[in-house]
Amino acid sequence: MPILSKEEAQALLKKVLSYSKADECEIGLNGQEGGNIRTALNAVSTAGDISTLGLAVSSTFGKKTGTATINEFDDASLEKVVRRSEELAQLAPENPEHMPPLGGQTFAEANTYNAKTAAMTPESRAEMVAASLKASKEAGLEAAGFLENTTGFYATMNNKGLFAYNKSTDVTFSVTTRNKEGTGSGYAARGFTDVSKLDTYAATKIATQKANGSIGARAIEPGKYTVILEPTAAVYMMENMFRFDARSADEGRSYLSKRGGGTRLGEKLMDDKVNIYSDPFNADLPASTWSGEGLPLEKTYWIQNGVVKNLSYSRYWAEKKGVKPMPGPSNIIMDGGTATLDEMIKSTERGILVSRLWYIRMVDPQVLALTGLTRDGTFYIENGKIKFPIKNMRFNESPIIMLNNVETLGKPERAISVESYRSYMIPPMKIRDFTFTSLSDAV
Amino acid sequence: MKRRNFIYLSGVGAGALMLPNLPSFGSPIDPAQALEQVDVRIKKELADVALNTAKSKGASYADIRIGRYLNQAVITRETRVLNVANAESYGVGIRVLVNGCWGFACTNTVTKDGVAKTAERAVAVAKANAKIGGPPVQLAPQKGYGEVSWKTPIEKNAFEVPIKEKVDLLMAVNGAALAGGASFVNSTILAINEQKYFASTDGSYIDQDIHRLYPNFSVTKIDPAKGAFETRAALSSPVGMGYEYLTPSEAEKMQGVVTRYRNRYDMLEDVKNAAKNATEKVSAKSVEPGKYDLVLDPSHLWLTIHESVAHPTELDRVLGYEANYAGTSFLSLDKLKSGNFKFGSTNMNVVADKNQKGSLGAVGYDDEGVKPKQWEIVKDGTLVNFQAIRDQAHMLGLKESQGCCYAQTWADVQFQRMPNVSLMPGKTPLSVAEMIKKVEKGIYIVGNGSFSIDQQRYNFQFGGQLFYEIKNGQIVGMLNDVAYQATNQEFWNSLAAVCDERDYRLGGAFNDGKGQPSQSNAVSHGSSTSLFKGVNVINTKRRIG
């Protein structure tokens, strides 16, 4: 059974620590179990089931560290892995950036685990997928989708008194529905901690509406347009800006670097309406309450009223710069307004509704200039109404420029990035002067 | 060498990461462990347990992959070793066919009991999914090979080279970059060893030892006054070779406006050039958008081939199996069957091949026990074939798989992945210099950069590492902020010339993503320098506050 309780993990880690003779000893223990089903052409294509448990021991003498791991848990194996890490440490070169481990910390309990999600089985996954295929068949479309659930835990302990444990569950579902002629395509994606919030039938219905609505797409001239980005599109566009890393900014190789040297901390970089923060206690997007370095995580604003409020400092970089360490975000939430998507469409004289973006890649990291394309449902809006579907287009745009051109923000919702599959809380957003550079015939 | 001495020279653990124990990462190990192998007799015993269990529970077909995947990464920046990580991922993946439906399960408990339970789980997954319905899997027949083995033909196992030697090389590389005016430099050597044992109910027991290597660096030049920075990455390729790739050879250097490499790589020479190039890029002329003739070096063109030819000719994409993630394809079975679909100009000849020596995709057998083949995908500009595996072969009217099935680790289910897909060199003698002489207004692009393509592989945009302006047959200087946009068929139909085989080189992707859960595949793409006429070039420069 690869998922250990907090007490079981603590007991095991204490036993491992009892074998240590090093100046510093840090142990990580993690387990994962779960499964997935993939569908295509309204049938199962592949399915899998995963189960792993492993232990990693890092021993340090002075500034020399060695790491070894094992996935056997009898006493002899546990002692062996500690000895091996110590042997490696004695032979390792010094790491000038090594930071001594933290002592005991107090961490709030996270709300990242849901028993219903943890209890999912091959049968329950199959039922959820069958419900999705039902919606697709009802609409006369073909579905390709993916359902995956994972339950995992991670625990760490060191010989300076630190112990941290986190158990989490996650279920993600995405589906693309297409007509047989290949002239219409729609997409929906959902991600939750609690599987009971996931309605695969309803999500697939939305994908089928997009697919049938996108048939007969017309070409329009590329150029600058007002766009309404649905959360699934917006989050993928913005995911590239969420590191907020002080070191790369200080080094002059980030969009957060200041001309002439230093960082843009405290500078206004975006529209007043932009507020981006992390909060492990957010009920819709719970996250771990401690960082990989063993620091407690709290609600932290990264962008407040358009101003760069905080940057993330590793313990090493914080010491070098004489500031407090600031762990990076464990989740990302962007505040929005109260407008619904329909209200945002109604208030648009001329614009484009974007359901999803695809294949976004960095073009210029200095300004976070990105390129990518629309996909799976792109619609022309005129005088507050969706007039007709349009052909997909390539964009060349920076999320920083985009967040300077915010007209309206809607109600935030949990959305997953179509590439990283991470969940975020992101509002739909209406953006002025979004730059499209060419047409695509892709459906 | 004694183990302790080897470990000493390997100096593991400089800031060693606490890698999560996930199959895709692997678990840290000491370097001496990488030299150990699992006894093939033990693997055969475990395989038989799995196959017998699966059959007894109702599987009509089963296969097992016992995988030991070794990754070594030596990662440095400027004067520091950031990390030396030796990771191992060891476990078992079992795939079964029950009631016409696939099931898969994996475990890292590599014991007879663990394997038997995993086979049972795989059967349970297949049975649960079979209830959903859908057409039954049709598996192309495959003869069993009995007990066979294959190894990448390497001259020097990278895992036997002490870490100290690798660190010394990277420190010399970084030192040369900084001495050449670079503000920052990151350098890495990545080595991969897949020790894969495959067995199936067809009667194959295949033991393979596959090696890959990827030396790379990135040099950054900062201009604080401008608030600008530019980077130049290595012109190396990831290769299906051993450490011999890092032994420079004058005979394998392609001289020109910048030196490029084939089969052997001179990392120190390249980084000195990179430091100069990064400085030049900061003040290079920003490109005037418009139509240009593009002269594309193989170090760049491999990625365009990868995205615009190799991916859209994957049969699973064509059929819609990848519709939810990677996408579909602008190609179709009808276009293939027509026999006259004009993918590109008559200069376009594209071949698939998983046997190519030194390539990332080279194997003796694929991950469902099939010997790989070589076949044409595009002949004289016309589409003539796709890429298919055992459960797809019947769709193309093939009697057997083409042998391009792959899983990134034991923990992932195997599925159709592209083989090496390469543009064949021109048959008429033509050098790069002669090609450039024929260009009036063009850009010579070296190295791969930013890349993006739509979900059906029509519209794409590519950047690069180095851009040189060509005027009236001469290179006149460096350009910056260059990207070209095109539609697929239009681009390949503008292929006006391909240099001859003297210029043929492999580039490649060390981590090509596809599938759900996403899996990584390593694949090479060969070409000679090629000329494309009248391609749309945009200027990518933007400003923020």
Side-chain angles (χ1 to χ4, degrees), chain A residues 86-128:
Chain A
E86 288 172 352
E87 181 186 24
L88 291 167
Q90 295 284 17
L91 298 170
E94 286 205 343
N95 172 15
E97 295 192 7
H98 173 77
M99 294 296 289
L102 292 163
Q105 308 280 318
T106 306
F107 304 116
E109 281 296 318
N111 191 25
T112 48
Y113 177 80
N114 180 275
K116 288 186 200 131
T117 310
M120 286 176 73
T121 62
E123 289 74 19
S124 66
R125 279 195 294 271
E127 282 167 22
M128 294 174 85

Side-chain angles (χ1 to χ4, degrees), chain B residues 206-257:
Chain B
I206 300 166
D207 198 30
Q208 295 196 85
D209 186 15
I210 294 157
H211 291 259
R212 295 196 286 269
L213 185 80
Y214 189 18
N216 196 11
F217 63 72
S218 174
V219 164
T220 304
K221 180 69 181 178
I222 307 275
D223 183 339
K226 278 189 190 171
F229 65 91
E230 290 293 346
T231 62
R232 202 280 238 172
L235 296 179
S236 57
S237 292
V239 288
M241 293 169 74
Y243 206 73
E244 67 272 9
Y245 179 62
L246 281 162
T247 304
S249 163
E250 291 304 311
E252 300 290 1
K253 290 179 182 177
M254 321 298 285
Q255 302 295 351
V257 65

